[in-house]
Amino acid sequence: MTESPIKKRILSGMRPTGRLHLGNLHGALSNWQDLQHTYECYFFIADWHALTTEYKEPRTIHTYILDLVVDWISVGLDPEIATFFVQSAVPEHAELHLILSMITPLAWLERNPTYKEQQLELESKEIATYGFLGYPVLQAADIMMYKAHAVPVGIDQAPHVELTREIARRFNFLYGDFFPVPELLLTEIPKLAGLDGRKMSKSYDNSIFLADTVEDIRQKLSRMVTDPQRARRKDPGDPDVCVLFPFHKLYSDPEMIAEINRECRVAGLGCVDCKKRLTERVLSALEPVQAKRQYLTAHLEEVREILEAGNRKARTFAQETMAGVRQAIGF
Ligand code: TRP
């Protein structure tokens, strides 16, 4: 009898703080989509993590949860092979977070670079809180709960995975070998600019969302900045600095990319035409995504069922882990 090889497990999550845009699609989502065939996948919505910064407006968090799952499925994440769940539907995360908080030295958290950066960046939010300092401990609980072997995230999250590794090692050292030490699976995130040329980000109001209509997308792309040096139609452009060209690299076929790369430099092709070409490519690539999105939005009960099934499965796993954790610490 041939045994089926046991797949390694990965876990990753997103905070429900806004709708997903093309930057998310070409970063995390397309990566998850590839990984779902190779790994046993747990993808979850980190609503408690969102609460660390959005605690003054907690209701907004809830509105994004189903929307995120709709986006996930629309871009091709498959609930038949990956498990989707919501963090707060598995309260075991809070218990593991509590236990891990006992063994995590304060100094590890205080030197966490994302903690320091966010304090400065999110100046308008009062996040000098106990919960925010413990953000990576909660993240460690998420990862360790499913005994994940690897965590696919972008470079910004690397310090949190490193901290998780230290916490897992410390747990194993104190109470006996129990948790795998998870690997960082670094995701290449292409640098996609938003409409204004800055990084595409929901906080800059410069994004193209998966939920945008065809008309929204046409309008947004038509007012997108291009090569800032190219003021007039007859000026030659430089695709290497043009904000639009990376989009062509993602959406256009090799011949068109080569042609644009050539013609832009000799002013053979103007920005308006270049954008029109891109718009058609983007719209045709997003067509199936939008169709799926439309279907799911009209059948939200199906999405809810998917999430509930995922929540149950995650919870069963988590309960088993916690039984082991309590045993390890003699509780
Ligand atoms: N901190 C992550 C982010 O903001 C979200 C997250 C929470 C996460 N828990 C996780 C990611 C566990 C990977 C694994 O993107």
Side-chain angles (χ1 to χ4, degrees), residues 173-187:
F173 169 75
L174 291 167
Y175 311 119
D177 227 354
F178 184 73
F179 286 112
V181 177
E183 302 288 333
L184 168 69
L185 210 58
L186 198 60
T187 307

Side-chain angles (χ1 to χ4, degrees), residues 114-188:
T114 54
Y115 176 70
K116 293 190 224 165
E117 278 161 26
Q118 297 258 47
Q119 289 286 1
L120 296 174
E121 221 169 280
L122 302 177
E123 226 178 305
S124 59
K125 300 200 169 160
E126 293 160 46
I127 48 173
T129 59
Y130 175 53
F132 191 67
L133 183 65
Y135 185 111
V137 184
L138 182 57
Q139 186 157 346
D142 302 333
I143 297 165
M144 290 163 64
M145 186 66 87
Y146 303 91
K147 299 193 171 170
H149 301 102
V151 186
V153 284
I155 188 81
D156 63 310
Q157 292 294 313
H160 292 164
V161 177
E162 189 49 44
L163 207 61
T164 303
R165 291 166 58 81
E166 291 182 62
I167 295 173
R169 278 196 215 100
R170 185 154 164 82
F171 186 99
N172 292 346
F173 169 75
L174 291 167
Y175 311 119
D177 227 354
F178 184 73
F179 286 112
V181 177
E183 302 288 333
L184 168 69
L185 210 58
L186 198 60
T187 307
E188 278 293 338

Side-chain angles (χ1 to χ4, degrees), residues 206-316:
N206 65 357
S207 302
I208 297 174
F209 296 101
L210 295 177
D212 281 346
T213 64
V214 168
E215 206 32 52
D216 288 337
I217 296 174
R218 278 190 197 285
Q219 285 201 358
K220 285 184 176 181
L221 284 174
S222 74
R223 64 186 164 83
M224 181 147 182
V225 302
T226 50
D227 171 359
Q229 304 295 316
R230 192 177 182 190
R232 283 171 303 257
R233 169 68 183 81
K234 61 181 185 353
D235 294 340
D238 181 358
D240 295 330
V241 300
C242 178
V243 168
L244 210 65
F245 194 54
F247 284 89
H248 272 295
K249 286 190 190 156
L250 283 169
Y251 287 95
S252 298
D253 52 55
E255 291 92 80
M256 201 201 289
I257 298 169
E259 188 190 326
I260 290 168
N261 198 9
R262 199 175 54 238
E263 293 302 315
C264 171
R265 290 177 199 279
V266 296
L269 176 73
C271 294
V272 173
D273 284 330
C274 184
K275 279 181 183 177
K276 277 190 188 146
R277 292 183 184 191
L278 178 69
T279 305
E280 295 321 308
R281 302 299 307 172
V282 171
L283 287 176
S284 84
L286 289 183
E287 204 178 273
V289 176
Q290 293 189 317
K292 192 104 201 237
R293 220 184 174 283
Q294 227 162 23
Y295 171 85
L296 292 168
T297 320
H299 297 83
L300 280 178
E301 69 290 347
E302 287 183 28
V303 183
R304 266 187 217 106
E305 271 167 36
I306 286 168
L307 209 46
E308 273 159 25
N311 288 343
R312 280 195 294 277
K313 185 170 167 202
R315 186 129 202 234
T316 304

Side-chain angles (χ1 to χ4, degrees), residues 94-106 109 130 134 137-138 141 167:
E95 186 184 354
L96 186 55
H97 168 246
L98 175 87
I99 290 169
L100 299 180
S101 77
M102 303 299 167
I103 68 169
T104 304
L106 213 41
L109 301 175
Y130 175 53
V137 184
L138 182 57
I167 295 173

